[in-house]
């Protein structure tokens, strides 16, 4: 007859509060959250299931960014080119901000997060605008992590829009051509008031920037991962931070 021997378990490690010691944390991290469709395909699910999973996943990165002291997190959620997708997919994506905020806005408020947006907001469906505007208003007095959602954002559109605004002001003589410098042009972009991203992450293995923050990433550090957005988690985020920690930024100097 066999007898059960007592054994000693290793002390349980509470992973939740583990924090890697990192220095040189990027102030502004921008992420191209790509690969929702492929994630779904890999599981035999419709593309929209990937978008839903991707939406739920945003909160992990917000928590991780907060935990490591990132000041601004800009997430590419919908591009000006994404309107090319089938109408049913676009309609589904446009419902996600409301669903996301319904679940996670209380946590964001509790964690002092400020929600902002960049992009051509006016052309979004009214239900999307209302939900997002409500969250922006509710968090406007917070002073913690800025969660900046790029919705209907496209860099070329942004630069063209800035050019037109500048030209109108020049035309009406409220601005002189000689006064336009880089800082001035930056102030006409949606990102006015934000520092440029220090680190740009793209998931899903694609190595391109897809019309995201073209002006602002002039000197950003780039980090690519094959991980699909719905699988991106704190450990992937920390990998990016660790890589960034080793980078030497020279800005053209020596
Ligand atoms: C990113 O995932 C989400 C959006 C662009 C809205 P994709 O939908 O682009 O996923 P893939 O690239 O097709 O896998
Ligand atoms: C970039 O992903 C846009 C977002 C993540 C919102 P896409 O899937 O649209 O980019 P491409 O088409 O592969 O370049
Ligand atoms: Mg994609």
């Amino acid at each position: 007859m066999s007898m059960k021997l007592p054994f000693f378990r290793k002390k349980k490690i509470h992973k939740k509060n583990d924090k890697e010691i990192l220095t040189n944390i990027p102030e502004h991290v921008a992420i191209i959250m790509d690969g929702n469709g492929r994630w779904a395909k890999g599981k035999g699910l419709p593309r929209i299931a990937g978008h839903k999973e991707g939406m739920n996943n945003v909160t992990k990165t917000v928590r991780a960014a907060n935990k490591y002291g990132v000041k601004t997190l800009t997430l590419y959620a919908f591009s000006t080119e994404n309107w090319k997708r089938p109408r049913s997919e676009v309609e589904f994506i446009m419902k996600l901000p409301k669903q996301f905020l319904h679940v996670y806005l209380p946590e964001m408020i509790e964690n002092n997060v400020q929600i902002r947006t960049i992009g051509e907001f006016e052309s979004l469906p009214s239900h999307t605008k209302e939900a997002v505007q409500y969250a922006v208003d509710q968090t406007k007095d917070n002073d913690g992590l800025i969660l900046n959602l790029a919705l209907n954002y496209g860099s070329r559109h942004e630069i063209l829009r800035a050019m037109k605004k500048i030209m109108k002001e020049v035309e009406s003589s409220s601005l002189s051509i000689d006064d336009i410098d880089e800082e001035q042009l930056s102030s006409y972009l949606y990102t006015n008031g934000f520092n440029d991203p220090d680190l740009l992450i793209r998931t899903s293995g694609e190595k391109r920037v897809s019309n995201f923050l073209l002006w602002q990433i002039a000197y950003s550090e780039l980090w690519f991962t094959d991980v699909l957005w719905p699988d991106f988690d704190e450990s992937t985020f920390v990998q990016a931070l660790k890589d960034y920690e080793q980078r030497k930024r020279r800005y053209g100097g020596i």
Side-chain angles (χ1 to χ4, degrees):
M1 201 174 92
S2 75
M3 200 175 74
K4 260 199 170 157
L5 290 168
F7 66 97
F8 297 98
R9 276 181 199 279
K10 269 196 183 158
K11 246 195 181 165
K12 235 186 181 171
I13 297 167
H14 292 283
K15 275 273 174 217
K16 217 176 147 201
N17 292 320
D18 281 0
K19 188 172 165 183
E20 303 249 6
I21 311 228
L22 297 173
T23 55
N24 191 25
I25 296 291
E27 272 194 28
H28 185 173
V29 179
I31 308 184
I32 302 173
M33 309 183 290
D34 197 15
N36 292 347
R38 279 163 282 169
W39 180 90
K41 195 174 176 204
K43 295 208 152 19
L45 297 168
R47 290 180 57 85
I48 56 169
H51 293 312
K52 178 123 200 183
E53 190 70 18
M55 170 200 87
N56 281 316
N57 199 41
V58 164
T59 188
K60 278 189 203 155
T61 305
V62 173
R63 287 180 193 144
N66 230 337
K67 180 168 163 181
Y68 284 93
V70 169
K71 302 256 187 301
T72 307
L73 180 66
T74 298
L75 301 179
Y76 204 6
F78 193 84
S79 78
T80 45
E81 286 71 37
N82 288 149
W83 296 105
K84 289 181 199 155
R85 296 183 179 205
R87 200 169 139 181
S88 57
E89 181 172 335
V90 171
E91 280 175 1
F92 187 88
I93 293 172
M94 288 302 161
K95 287 184 189 144
L96 295 175
K98 188 173 180 175
Q99 290 176 27
F100 174 77
L101 293 163
H102 181 72
V103 179
Y104 297 107
L105 183 59
E107 180 182 325
M108 306 273 173
I109 293 173
E110 199 180 307
N111 291 327
N112 203 19
V113 172
Q114 315 174 57
I115 298 172
R116 309 265 192 90
T117 68
I118 52 170
E120 215 266 284
F121 195 74
E122 275 315 303
S123 317
L124 294 170
S126 48
H127 64 90
T128 314
K129 280 192 284 196
E130 279 159 25
V132 175
Q133 192 57 53
Y134 178 76
V136 170
D137 293 342
Q138 290 293 304
T139 59
K140 72 177 190 321
D141 297 324
N142 292 351
D143 59 5
L145 173 78
I146 296 171
L147 173 60
N148 188 23
L149 302 171
L151 291 167
N152 193 19
Y153 176 86
S155 212
R156 289 187 171 184
H157 156 82
E158 177 186 44
I159 293 168
L160 193 58
R161 172 179 168 274
M163 294 282 296
K164 286 183 180 172
K165 280 180 179 241
I166 290 171
M167 286 190 266
K168 278 201 178 125
E169 291 193 22
V170 169
E171 213 171 48
S172 67
S173 305
S174 53
L175 186 68
S176 145
I177 289 183
D178 295 329
D179 288 342
I180 305 164
D181 56 10
E182 290 187 8
E183 203 181 324
Q184 182 83 18
L185 177 53
S186 295
S187 75
Y188 286 85
L189 301 177
Y190 289 119
T191 48
N192 179 29
F194 293 104
N195 293 334
D196 288 342
D198 298 293
L199 174 64
L200 174 71
I201 296 174
R202 184 173 187 146
T203 61
S204 89
E206 308 296 355
K207 291 177 187 68
R208 53 178 173 257
V209 286
S210 303
N211 203 14
F212 193 40
L213 303 172
L214 300 181
W215 169 273
Q216 298 87 339
I217 60 170
Y219 272 103
S220 304
E221 295 296 322
L222 310 179
W223 194 78
F224 299 100
T225 175
D226 288 339
V227 170
L228 303 172
W229 174 252
D231 293 325
F232 188 90
D233 60 8
E234 183 177 319
S235 70
T236 338
F237 189 67
V238 168
Q239 270 180 44
L241 296 182
K242 280 187 171 164
D243 197 330
Y244 178 84
E245 202 178 25
Q246 305 305 320
R247 306 273 181 105
K248 300 268 177 293
R249 302 179 74 184
R250 283 184 284 274
Y251 301 97
I254 49 167

